[in-house]
Amino acid sequence: MATGRTHRPATRSRGIPEATVARLPLYLRALTALSERSVPTVSSEELAAAAGVNSAKLRKDFSYLGSYGTRGVGYDVEYLVYQISRELGLTQDWPVVIVGIGNLGAALANYGGFASRGFRVAALIDADPAMAGKPVAGIAVQHTDELEKIITDNGVSIGVIATPAGAAQQVCDRLVAAGVTSILNFAPTVLSVPEGVDVRKVDLSIELQILAFHEQRKAGEEASSQDAAQPVTPPVRPAPADDSDRKGPDGDVPAVMPA
Amino acid sequence: MATGRTHRPATRSRGIPEATVARLPLYLRALTALSERSVPTVSSEELAAAAGVNSAKLRKDFSYLGSYGTRGVGYDVEYLVYQISRELGLTQDWPVVIVGIGNLGAALANYGGFASRGFRVAALIDADPAMAGKPVAGIAVQHTDELEKIITDNGVSIGVIATPAGAAQQVCDRLVAAGVTSILNFAPTVLSVPEGVDVRKVDLSIELQILAFHEQRKAGEEASSQDAAQPVTPPVRPAPADDSDRKGPDGDVPAVMPA
DNA sequence: CCATCTTTGTGCACGCGTTCACAAAGACAT
DNA sequence: ATGTCTTTGTGAACGCGTGCACAAAGATGG
C-alpha cells in the first residue's frame, strides 16, 4: 500500500468510513475482472477471496452503500460494478495533470490504470524548457509557465506531483491557487495545504523501510542481531548536561530495551 | 500514501504497534533534514510539525522505542536518527531486486531514495530477452531465467514487483520459492503468499480513486450531481428472480439511494 | 404451500490507535 | 540549594475498525 495518509480527521464522508472507501477500489477491480469473464453473480465469500479481505468485512462495507445483494444468491456483478463506480465518482470524467515528467512522471503518464477508470491525463507539465513539446505517452509536455492556464481551461481538480522534493511545495501551492483541490504526492515531502484540500502521499522509500523493519525482525528472531558489526557510526547517548565528566571509553551505552 | 496494506494480523512486532512503525520513516526523514542543517536538538512539537503529525502521537511513538528525550530540552537529533535507523533495520545493507523493467521499474531503479537508506539495487530483472544486457540506471538488466540464481547468490530477501498484473503472481511465486520474504508489489493484483512472507502494495490507481471519491463529495455538496447526464450505462437492478414477467420498457429503475 | 438450504445484513464485543491532560524530570537562573 | 519553567513520558478515556455469530430473507425443491 502506498502510505502517508492525511485522511480527513474524523469526517466520515456521508456515513461511509474511510477504511471502507479505501477498499472500494479493491472490490471494484475484482468485480471488473469477474465482469470480463461474464460471471453473473458472486457471493461475498468468493468476492472477498478475490479481493484479499475477510468476507464479513466485505459485507459490512457493502452495507454502508445499501442493500445490493440477494440472500441465498449473492451480488449481481454488473449492478455492483455500477454502484461502486458511482459511489467513487468514476461515472464522470476526471481530468488530471501530472507535474514533473521525470522517470516517475513518465511512468505515470504511461500507466494504463488511469484511463480505464475515468481518469484522463489532461496535461503533462515540467519545469525543464528542454522537455517542452516533447511527446510522452502521446501527449506533448508543457512548460510550468502554462500551469495556471491549463488548470482553469480544463477544469482540473486533481493534480499529481512527481517532481523532486525541493519543488513539490511550490508546485503544490500553485496547483491549489489555480483551483486544484485534490493532490496525489509522490515527492518525499510533507505538503502543507489549506483546509478543504485533500492530499494523499505515495512514498516508495517508506514502504521499503517498513518491509525492512519486519525483515529485520524475522532475521533477528534467534540471532541477536544487536552485537553484529555495525556499518554506521553509533553516536553516543547525549550526556545529561552535566558537562563535568563525559562518559569514558565505554561510550555507546546500549540504550536499554524498552521492554 | 501508498495503499494496500496486508499488515500482519495483530502481531504487534516486539511491542511496537504497526501504526508507529509506519510513521518511523516519516520521523527519520524529518530528522535527517534537521541533521543536515546541523540542528542539535528538536522538541516533540517542532518535529511533529515537520513530520505532519500530532505531537502527542509522536511522543507516544517514541516512547515505544525507549526514553530517548530530555525533559525541558527535547530530542538529540543525531542520536534519534541513529536509534530510529537501527530500529527500522537501516543500519544494515539490504540488497533488493526489481522485477519488471518497464516505465515504472526504470523509475524505481533510478529513484535515489533507495540507496540513501541502506537499500541497494542488487539486480534488475525483466522477461523480455531484448532488454537483457541493456543498462538501466547504470545496471545491466538480466533475464528472468537468472532470477533464482540472483536471489540466492546475493542473499536477497526483499523483492519489488513492477510487472504487468498478469505476470505478478508467477513472479511472486518464484521470488518466494527462491527465498524472498518481503515483497513490494506495484502490480494491480492481490498476491497470495505463504505464511511468513510480507507483502505491501502500492496502487496508483486506487489512490486516485480515493481522491475522486472525496472530490465528488466536495463538488456534490450543493449540486445534487445525481441526475446529471450519466456517461456510463446504468444497469438495471437485477429482477427478484421472478422470471415470469421481465420489467417492461420502463426498464432502468433508478436504484433508490441508500440513504 | 411448506421445508430446507444458502447467503446476506447487522448487533455486539473486543482491540488497536488517537488524543487529552498531567505528573515527573530535568534545565536554568538566582 | 531552591524555585521556576520547559518539555517529556504516560495513564486513561474515547472512537473507529474488525470479526464473530446469528437472525432474517429469499431461493429452491418437493
Side-chain angles (χ1 to χ4, degrees):
Chain A
M1 110 191 195
T3 286
R5 286 306 171 89
T6 318
H7 27 201
R8 52 195 60 257
T11 319
R12 250 199 234 191
S13 317
R14 220 253 310 253
I16 302 181
E18 261 310 296
T20 295
V21 173
R23 277 188 296 268
L24 289 182
L26 233 59
Y27 302 144
L28 184 55
R29 177 166 294 150
L31 284 165
T32 304
L34 290 173
S35 173
E36 279 165 8
R37 288 195 286 133
S38 300
V39 177
T41 63
V42 66
S43 72
S44 65
E45 203 70 50
E46 294 166 328
L47 184 53
V53 302
N54 182 306
S55 73
K57 196 187 296 188
L58 178 142
R59 288 198 300 276
K60 179 145 292 193
D61 282 343
F62 286 173
S63 79
Y64 291 115
L65 308 183
S67 285
Y68 293 152
T70 304
R71 297 176 190 230
V73 175
Y75 299 91
D76 181 274
V77 173
E78 295 299 327
Y79 188 64
L80 201 47
V81 164
Y82 172 72
Q83 290 300 340
I84 295 180
S85 294
R86 190 176 51 77
E87 199 66 54
L88 284 173
L90 305 181
T91 54
Q92 59 185 280
D93 181 72
W94 292 103
V96 171
V97 296
I98 301 175
V99 186
I101 313 302
N103 279 295
L104 181 57
L108 293 172
N110 280 294
Y111 182 51
F114 291 169
S116 68
R117 292 267 185 284
F119 298 101
R120 180 172 49 84
V121 178
L124 305 178
I125 304 176
D126 198 281
D128 182 3
M131 286 290 291
K134 274 181 60 178
V136 172
I139 302 174
V141 175
Q142 295 178 267
H143 189 262
T144 317
D145 292 345
E146 314 289 331
L147 189 145
E148 284 77 9
K149 179 169 166 49
I150 295 168
I151 302 290
T152 50
D153 284 4
N154 294 79
V156 174
S157 53
I158 300 179
V160 177
I161 298 181
T163 66
Q169 182 64 58
Q170 191 181 351
V171 167
C172 173
D173 291 343
R174 288 181 64 184
L175 286 175
V176 170
V180 166
T181 48
S182 287
I183 291 178
L184 183 53
N185 179 31
F186 285 88
T189 324
V190 178
L191 294 179
S192 65
V193 292
E195 186 73 15
V197 175
D198 271 315
V199 176
R200 293 189 70 84
K201 188 173 154 201
V202 177
D203 194 314
L204 315 176
S205 140
I206 283 182
E207 298 301 319
L208 272 188
Q209 292 177 51
I210 296 172
L211 283 178
F213 172 84
H214 293 302
E215 198 59 40
Q216 182 188 40
R217 203 176 127 268
K218 287 184 214 162
E221 211 89 278
E222 61 280 2
S224 72
S225 67
Q226 199 42 35
D227 46 356
Q230 296 287 4
V232 285
T233 64
V236 297
R237 167 100 212 206
D242 188 354
D243 243 4
S244 61
D245 64 77
R246 256 303 196 184
K247 276 285 169 52
D250 71 83
D252 190 17
V253 178
V256 273
M257 279 323 236
Chain B
M1 108 197 201
T3 284
R5 289 303 173 92
T6 317
H7 26 202
R8 53 195 59 257
T11 319
R12 247 199 236 194
S13 316
R14 218 252 311 254
I16 301 181
E18 263 305 301
T20 295
V21 172
R23 277 188 296 268
L24 290 182
L26 233 58
Y27 302 144
L28 184 56
R29 177 167 294 150
L31 284 165
T32 305
L34 291 173
S35 173
E36 279 165 9
R37 289 196 285 134
S38 300
V39 177
T41 62
V42 65
S43 72
S44 65
E45 202 70 49
E46 293 166 328
L47 184 54
V53 302
N54 183 307
S55 73
K57 195 187 297 190
L58 177 141
R59 286 199 301 277
K60 178 141 291 195
D61 283 342
F62 286 174
S63 79
Y64 291 114
L65 308 183
S67 285
Y68 293 151
T70 305
R71 297 174 190 230
V73 175
Y75 299 92
D76 182 274
V77 173
E78 294 300 326
Y79 188 62
L80 201 47
V81 163
Y82 172 71
Q83 288 301 340
I84 295 181
S85 294
R86 189 177 52 77
E87 198 65 53
L88 283 173
L90 305 181
T91 54
Q92 58 185 279
D93 182 72
W94 292 105
V96 170
V97 295
I98 301 175
V99 186
I101 313 301
N103 279 295
L104 181 58
L108 293 172
N110 280 292
Y111 181 52
F114 290 169
S116 68
R117 292 265 185 283
F119 299 101
R120 179 171 50 84
V121 178
L124 305 178
I125 304 176
D126 198 281
D128 181 5
M131 288 289 293
K134 275 181 60 177
V136 172
I139 303 174
V141 175
Q142 296 179 267
H143 190 262
T144 317
D145 292 346
E146 314 289 331
L147 190 146
E148 284 78 10
K149 178 168 167 53
I150 295 168
I151 302 289
T152 50
D153 284 3
N154 295 79
V156 174
S157 54
I158 301 179
V160 178
I161 298 180
T163 66
Q169 181 65 57
Q170 191 181 350
V171 167
C172 172
D173 291 343
R174 288 182 62 185
L175 287 174
V176 171
V180 167
T181 48
S182 288
I183 292 179
L184 182 52
N185 179 29
F186 286 88
T189 323
V190 179
L191 294 179
S192 65
V193 293
E195 187 72 16
V197 176
D198 272 314
V199 176
R200 294 189 67 85
K201 189 175 153 199
V202 176
D203 194 314
L204 316 175
S205 142
I206 283 182
E207 298 302 319
L208 271 188
Q209 291 177 52
I210 296 172
L211 283 178
F213 172 84
H214 293 302
E215 198 58 41
Q216 181 188 42
R217 205 176 126 267
K218 289 182 211 161
E221 212 91 277
E222 62 279 2
S224 73
S225 68
Q226 199 42 36
D227 44 357
Q230 296 286 3
V232 285
T233 64
V236 297
R237 168 97 211 208
D242 189 353
D243 240 5
S244 59
D245 65 83
R246 255 303 195 184
K247 277 285 167 51
D250 72 81
D252 190 16
V253 179
V256 273
M257 279 321 241

